[in-house]
Amino acid sequence: MTEQPDWLSNFVRIYNKLDKETLHLLEEIYHPDIQFSDPLHGINGLSNLSTYFSDMYSNVISCQFDIHHSLSQGDQAALYWTMRYRHNRLGKGREISVEGHSYLKIQDGKVILHRDYFDAGSLLYEHIPLMGVGVRWLKARISGEQTSGVNNKGAQACPKF
């Protein structure tokens, strides 16, 4: 991991402390006008983000982010991570691991823009009974179609449904 600026080190440190008992720490790292988005949500404002985190953590048994790499320049940064979490209603409470990355931008020393990128199927859909079977089948089908077929000299085949 590259040398992180103080604001980014603080962000990572606090993020890994978050649980349903420590959500008050969000105000230490997020700007009041935070714009947060991921493949499943778009949230504006610290109050709304706090509500989102509170709802999210209400059924989470544990959640930890392992930061593999970070890049920063000026008021922007990217974090590459693995999230490991356990949820009462997903995967029968077993640990689920998801790779992803985050784009962060600061203003006045706090994160004002947080955009997460990850596979929503790996995070959620694959772990919902019945739906999970379909999502895993579809992913396998698409993956299989892209690697099979005629010799296409390295070009990726379009998935067939």
Side-chain angles (χ1 to χ4, degrees):
M1 190 159 43
T2 59
E3 184 70 27
Q4 295 178 343
D6 290 342
W7 70 267
L8 186 56
S9 296
N10 188 48
F11 179 87
V12 169
R13 182 182 56 77
I14 288 177
Y15 221 79
N16 274 317
K17 287 183 180 182
L18 291 178
D19 62 24
K20 55 185 140 199
E21 306 299 324
T22 60
L23 294 178
H24 63 279
L25 297 174
L26 291 173
E27 64 189 33
E28 291 185 30
I29 56 175
Y30 285 114
H31 191 280
D33 298 324
I34 179 66
Q35 294 179 349
F36 177 93
S37 61
D38 65 24
L40 304 171
H41 304 93
I43 299 163
N44 294 313
L46 184 55
S47 177
N48 292 332
L49 186 64
S50 295
T51 300
Y52 164 71
F53 272 83
S54 179
D55 291 345
M56 181 180 67
Y57 276 104
S58 66
N59 289 304
V60 169
I61 300 166
S62 65
C63 183
Q64 183 70 34
F65 285 85
D66 297 322
I67 309 298
H68 305 293
H69 188 69
S70 68
L71 300 169
S72 62
Q73 183 176 16
D75 64 350
Q76 302 176 68
L79 298 173
Y80 296 84
W81 43 261
T82 300
M83 179 177 70
R84 289 177 174 67
Y85 77 102
R86 294 177 51 225
H87 191 284
N88 287 330
R89 297 181 182 164
L90 299 174
K92 299 179 182 176
R94 291 184 299 252
E95 184 176 273
I96 297 169
S97 179
V98 179
E99 300 285 325
H101 62 276
S102 301
Y103 169 74
L104 307 172
K105 187 169 183 170
I106 63 163
Q107 180 178 312
D108 303 325
K110 295 186 178 184
V111 175
I112 192 158
L113 178 66
H114 180 157
R115 174 73 170 111
D116 281 343
Y117 299 88
F118 57 81
D119 176 0
S122 295
L123 176 82
L124 177 63
Y125 304 128
E126 291 178 21
H127 309 286
I128 297 173
L130 297 179
M131 179 184 275
V133 172
V135 171
R136 287 189 299 274
W137 175 84
L138 185 58
K139 283 177 121 178
R141 170 85 182 188
I142 291 170
S143 176
E145 291 293 335
Q146 290 179 342
T147 58
S148 64
V150 294
N151 183 355
N152 56 11
K153 298 181 182 175
Q156 282 236 316
C158 293
K160 296 178 186 173
F161 298 99

